[in-house]
Amino acid sequence: GGSIVEQYLRSRGITIPIPPSLRFGGGAYFGRYQLPALVAAVQAPDRRTIAVQVTLIDPRGDRKAQVRMPRKTTGALGLGFLGYLPWARSIAPHSGCGCAGRAVRVTWRTYARAAAVAATGVATVSLAAPWWQVTAARPGGFAVAAAAGLCGYLAVSPEADDRWLLPTRKLRLRLLGHPLAAPEEPV
């Protein structure tokens, strides 16, 4: 019995009463699949919410959803991750961070992405009002920020290379020719 969140927590051996910082919700996975979700608020000592983590749950309630990225965190936790990366790289230089839903080697792109997440989290936490109210009040500013964020995400996400970097390189070759091709001889 109990909610799907209670079932999920019990399957992990957690039997305490559910605190108010944990909620049940629905989450869309890449806009396709509606899955149950555990929404956890991470709070600062003064009880302000500084980060939110959403864990998509398998509809049976006994495990995380079996999707590529079942857990997403946003907020000031990015600062901690940015501090973790150099330590992880020094301990195991060829290991991956798992931040892309799979083991991805820690490179400059990982640092850039972690810094972007941290900056977004700090900006979100430092707003005078919830982000959705700020967005509603300034939709043009939000559109510009969202477009810049998407471009930045594509630039630093190695898993997106096959969607934008390779096609861009092929287009450049088609338009400008191969940079190492021998010049054509006049006839």
Side-chain angles (χ1 to χ4, degrees), residues 108-109 150-171:
W108 71 269
R109 290 173 135 186
L150 178 61
C151 291
Y153 171 79
L154 290 173
V156 299
S157 296
E159 65 271 6
D161 281 355
D162 60 336
R163 294 190 185 119
W164 78 276
L165 185 60
L166 295 177
T168 303
R169 287 179 178 169
K170 287 178 181 179
L171 178 63

Side-chain angles (χ1 to χ4, degrees), residues 95-182:
S95 67
C97 65
C99 52
R102 58 185 166 77
V104 174
R105 193 160 171 229
V106 176
T107 65
W108 71 269
R109 290 173 135 186
T110 314
Y111 286 100
R113 190 155 82 177
V117 169
T120 303
V122 169
T124 302
V125 170
S126 63
L127 292 173
W131 67 266
W132 56 88
Q133 291 176 358
V134 173
T135 300
R138 296 183 183 97
F142 172 74
V144 169
L150 178 61
C151 291
Y153 171 79
L154 290 173
V156 299
S157 296
E159 65 271 6
D161 281 355
D162 60 336
R163 294 190 185 119
W164 78 276
L165 185 60
L166 295 177
T168 303
R169 287 179 178 169
K170 287 178 181 179
L171 178 63
R172 186 187 75 198
L173 288 174
R174 238 184 247 156
L175 296 175
L176 303 175
H178 197 285
L180 300 178

